[in-house]
Short mmCIF file of all heavy atoms in Angstrom, two decimals:
data_model
loop_
_atom_site.label_atom_id
_atom_site.label_comp_id
_atom_site.label_asym_id
_atom_site.label_seq_id
_atom_site.Cartn_x
_atom_site.Cartn_y
_atom_site.Cartn_z
N MET B 190 33.48 28.59 50.33
CA MET B 190 34.27 29.58 49.44
C MET B 190 35.13 28.80 48.58
O MET B 190 34.77 28.33 47.42
CB MET B 190 35.03 30.71 50.20
CG MET B 190 33.96 31.50 51.11
SD MET B 190 33.13 32.76 50.12
CE MET B 190 34.53 33.93 49.74
N TYR B 191 36.48 28.60 48.93
CA TYR B 191 37.36 27.90 48.13
C TYR B 191 38.37 27.12 48.96
O TYR B 191 38.59 27.42 50.25
CB TYR B 191 38.12 28.84 47.24
CG TYR B 191 39.16 29.73 47.85
CD1 TYR B 191 40.34 29.40 48.43
CD2 TYR B 191 38.79 31.11 48.06
CE1 TYR B 191 41.29 30.23 49.05
CE2 TYR B 191 39.62 32.06 48.80
CZ TYR B 191 40.86 31.53 49.15
OH TYR B 191 41.71 32.48 49.75
N SER B 192 38.85 26.03 48.54
CA SER B 192 39.93 25.12 49.27
C SER B 192 41.10 24.91 48.31
O SER B 192 42.08 24.46 48.88
CB SER B 192 39.27 23.93 49.79
OG SER B 192 38.73 23.17 48.75
N HIS B 193 40.95 25.08 47.09
CA HIS B 193 41.94 24.85 46.09
C HIS B 193 42.13 26.01 45.05
O HIS B 193 41.26 26.86 45.04
CB HIS B 193 41.65 23.56 45.34
CG HIS B 193 41.64 22.27 46.16
ND1 HIS B 193 40.57 21.96 46.85
CD2 HIS B 193 42.63 21.35 46.34
CE1 HIS B 193 40.76 20.84 47.54
NE2 HIS B 193 42.06 20.43 47.28
N PHE B 194 43.10 26.01 44.27
CA PHE B 194 43.26 27.16 43.34
C PHE B 194 42.14 27.11 42.30
O PHE B 194 41.77 28.18 41.88
CB PHE B 194 44.65 26.92 42.71
CG PHE B 194 45.83 27.13 43.58
CD1 PHE B 194 46.86 26.33 43.77
CD2 PHE B 194 45.95 28.46 44.19
CE1 PHE B 194 48.00 26.53 44.54
CE2 PHE B 194 46.99 28.74 45.06
CZ PHE B 194 48.00 27.78 45.25
N ASN B 195 41.74 26.01 41.83
CA ASN B 195 40.68 25.93 40.91
C ASN B 195 39.37 26.58 41.42
O ASN B 195 38.72 27.28 40.64
CB ASN B 195 40.44 24.57 40.26
CG ASN B 195 40.01 23.43 41.38
OD1 ASN B 195 39.91 23.88 42.48
ND2 ASN B 195 39.68 22.37 40.86
N SER B 196 39.13 26.35 42.67
CA SER B 196 37.82 26.83 43.26
C SER B 196 38.12 28.39 43.55
O SER B 196 37.10 29.20 43.44
CB SER B 196 37.39 26.12 44.46
OG SER B 196 38.38 25.99 45.40
N MET B 197 39.27 28.80 43.79
CA MET B 197 39.49 30.30 43.99
C MET B 197 39.28 30.91 42.64
O MET B 197 38.70 31.98 42.63
CB MET B 197 41.00 30.36 44.46
CG MET B 197 41.45 31.78 44.61
SD MET B 197 43.37 31.92 44.85
CE MET B 197 43.50 31.25 46.55
N LEU B 198 39.85 30.37 41.59
CA LEU B 198 39.62 30.93 40.24
C LEU B 198 38.17 31.04 39.81
O LEU B 198 37.70 32.04 39.29
CB LEU B 198 40.54 30.22 39.12
CG LEU B 198 41.99 30.50 39.04
CD1 LEU B 198 42.58 29.73 37.98
CD2 LEU B 198 42.15 31.99 38.75
N ALA B 199 37.49 30.00 40.20
CA ALA B 199 36.05 29.91 39.79
C ALA B 199 35.29 31.00 40.60
O ALA B 199 34.49 31.55 40.00
CB ALA B 199 35.54 28.46 40.21
N LEU B 200 35.72 31.26 41.79
CA LEU B 200 35.02 32.34 42.50
C LEU B 200 35.31 33.66 41.93
O LEU B 200 34.33 34.44 41.81
CB LEU B 200 35.45 32.31 44.00
CG LEU B 200 34.82 33.30 44.92
CD1 LEU B 200 33.32 33.18 45.14
CD2 LEU B 200 35.52 33.31 46.40
N CYS B 201 36.54 33.93 41.49
CA CYS B 201 36.75 35.15 40.81
C CYS B 201 36.13 35.38 39.57
O CYS B 201 35.55 36.47 39.17
CB CYS B 201 38.40 35.19 40.51
SG CYS B 201 39.44 35.39 41.94
#
Side-chain angles (χ1 to χ4, degrees):
M190 295 287 283
Y191 65 80
S192 57
H193 295 80
F194 291 123
N195 62 352
S196 52
M197 180 189 287
L198 280 178
L200 183 62
C201 289

